[in-house]
Amino acid sequence: MIIGDIIVDAYIWGDVNRISPEAPVPVFEIEAEQTGCGGAANVAQNVASLGGDAILVGVIGKDREGEKLVQMLTEMNLTTTGIRIDSQRPTSTKTRVIVRAGTATFAGHERDSRHHLLRIDRESKQEISIDMQEHLLNSVVSQLPATDGIIFADYDKGVINAQLIRDVIKHARPYDIPIIVDPKRNNFWHYKGVTAVTPNHKEAGSAVNTEITDVEQLLSVGEKIINRLSLKALLITREAKGMSLFERKPDGSLQVEHLPPHSSVVTDVTGAGDTAVAVFTLALTANADFYTAAALSSLAGGIAVEKMGCATITPKELLNAIETERLSQEHRDTPT
C-alpha cells in the first residue's frame, strides 16, 4: 500500500533556436508532450512493474490531470479505490520543459543531450480536510488485511499529516508489516515507530540542521535519526556516493554499511528515490534482510537514473543488474 502525494509528471520536449524579438528570452518550439505518474503514483507503478500488487491511497483534483492519472493507473492494473477526489484543490502537476542541446557521448555511444529549461508547478500545499483525512484512513484500514507492506510517499503537498501518520501506524501495528517512509521536511519527525525511512543525504542533514559533507557527519546524522525515530533501519541515499544503511541490531548495537553507486551514466535523477523505496519495501515484504533490500534498492536506483523522467524498472532489468554485479564481484575477488 502506497499512501501519499499523488503527482502528475508532464514533459514538454522541444528546441531553442532563436531569441524572441519581443524580449531577451529564448523561443521554445514544442516537438512533443508526454504525461506520466509522479510522486506516490510513481512509487506505485514501480511496485507494479516489478510484479507487486500496488494499492494507491491519496488525493487528486477534479480536473483533466486527475482523470488522465486515473486512466494511466487503471491501464497498469493498479488499485485506485483508495484515491479520493477533492474539488477544492488541483491535481499536483509538475511540468518540465526540456530542450535539446546537441549531442554528447555516453559510454561510447552518441546520444541527444537534453537539459531542463524550466519547471512549472501547479499544486496546493494546504492540508486536506478532516473529512478527507478520515476517508483516506478508512481506505487504508479496509485494505490492511490484504497488505504486506506500507510505503509513505511524502512530498509535503498536504495529504499526509501527523494525525494520519499516527492513525495508520496504530491500525497497522497488529498486522506486523513493514512501514517504510520516503520523507520530506514537514513530517520528518512524526514517523516515530515506523520500520525504516529512506531520505536522501540533504533531507537527512536538514532534519538535524547539519550539512553532510563527510562520513563522520553522515554517521552522526544517521545515529541521531535512527535513535530519535526508534527505527529498525535507516537508508540514506547519497547520489553519486551510493547509499548508507544504518541498522539497529537485536543486541542494541548500530551497524552501518556503505553501498557503492551502480550507474556510470546519470541521465535524470527524477523519481530515482521512488524506485529505490519501492524496491526496498518489496524486498522486505519478500522476507529479505535490510542489507539485501538495500543492495537491491541501490541496483534499482542505478537503473532508474539512466532513464529520463519518472521511470520504472522491470524484473529483467533488475536481474541483469544483479548478474552484472555478481560477475564484477567475482572479477574483483579473483587474484591477478
Side-chain angles (χ1 to χ4, degrees):
M1 184 186 303
I2 299 92
I3 308 166
D5 298 296
I6 298 171
I7 300 171
V8 171
D9 274 333
Y11 292 84
I12 302 175
W13 308 78
D15 280 324
V16 172
N17 297 308
R18 60 193 175 96
I19 301 298
S20 170
E22 302 165 358
V25 295
V27 175
F28 182 83
E29 298 176 357
I30 296 176
E31 291 180 349
E33 297 183 57
Q34 181 183 5
T35 302
C37 298
N42 187 41
V43 178
Q45 71 175 355
N46 269 278
V47 169
S49 177
L50 287 165
D53 296 322
I55 303 167
L56 184 57
V57 177
V59 177
I60 59 174
K62 191 176 182 179
D63 49 28
R64 187 166 60 92
E65 289 75 18
E67 291 174 357
K68 275 186 181 179
L69 189 72
V70 171
Q71 181 181 348
M72 287 187 290
L73 294 170
T74 301
E75 290 172 353
M76 288 182 280
N77 295 318
L78 290 170
T79 302
T80 59
T81 53
I83 298 177
R84 300 291 173 173
I85 297 175
D86 187 343
S87 60
Q88 302 303 309
R89 61 193 294 137
T91 301
S92 294
T93 305
K94 297 179 181 179
T95 303
R96 295 171 176 86
V97 181
I98 302 176
V99 62
R100 185 169 62 200
T103 59
T105 300
F106 298 103
H109 301 284
E110 193 175 78
R111 306 181 183 177
D112 281 342
S113 175
R114 295 176 177 264
H115 66 263
H116 288 187
L117 181 69
L118 178 68
R119 198 181 90 183
I120 305 163
D121 289 0
R122 179 175 179 264
E123 62 188 14
S124 169
K125 294 183 180 180
Q126 294 296 315
E127 280 197 9
I128 58 174
S129 67
I130 294 176
D131 284 346
M132 185 62 69
Q133 183 178 312
E134 290 178 353
H135 282 308
L136 294 185
L137 181 61
N138 289 336
S139 294
V140 170
V141 173
S142 68
Q143 297 281 1
L144 277 173
T147 300
D148 297 309
I150 293 173
I151 299 173
F152 277 103
D154 191 347
Y155 298 84
D156 281 350
K157 306 301 182 187
V159 170
I160 297 176
N161 58 32
Q163 186 61 51
L164 181 62
I165 294 167
R166 286 194 295 267
D167 287 341
V168 170
I169 292 173
K170 179 183 72 174
H171 285 284
R173 189 171 291 120
Y175 295 90
D176 193 28
I177 56 179
I179 302 176
I180 313 301
V181 182
D182 187 6
K184 290 293 183 287
R185 173 187 287 271
N186 289 349
N187 295 311
F188 198 101
W189 296 115
H190 296 313
Y191 288 107
K192 186 171 183 177
V194 301
T195 307
V197 298
T198 63
N200 63 41
H201 67 104
K202 292 178 183 177
E203 293 159 347
S206 177
V208 296
N209 299 313
T210 301
E211 183 181 1
I212 298 175
T213 58
D214 55 38
V215 174
E216 185 177 348
Q217 289 173 323
L218 172 72
L219 296 176
S220 174
V221 167
E223 186 170 8
K224 288 177 182 177
I225 293 173
I226 201 169
N227 287 342
R228 185 168 168 183
L229 290 179
S230 301
L231 303 171
K232 292 182 179 178
L234 167 69
L235 183 64
I236 299 178
T237 58
R238 303 171 62 203
E239 297 178 348
K241 295 181 180 179
M243 299 179 173
S244 293
L245 174 67
F246 296 73
E247 185 178 351
R248 182 65 70 191
K249 292 298 185 178
D251 63 1
S253 62
L254 182 62
Q255 180 174 305
V256 183
E257 299 191 67
H258 304 292
L259 293 86
H262 291 285
S263 177
S264 58
V265 177
V266 178
T267 299
D268 188 358
V269 298
T270 304
D274 301 337
T275 301
V277 72
V279 173
F280 186 68
T281 308
L282 274 173
L284 293 178
T285 63
N287 296 320
D289 57 38
F290 286 114
Y291 180 79
T292 301
L296 289 170
S297 179
S298 180
L299 287 170
I303 299 168
V305 298
E306 294 183 1
K307 302 181 179 184
M308 179 61 74
C310 284
T312 59
I313 68 169
T314 65
K316 183 178 180 180
E317 288 174 322
L318 188 53
L319 285 167
N320 287 341
I322 293 169
E323 180 63 13
T324 299
E325 175 62 17
R326 184 186 68 80
L327 293 173
S328 177
Q329 183 64 46
E330 287 181 355
H331 178 74
R332 289 194 294 269
D333 293 342
T334 301
T336 57

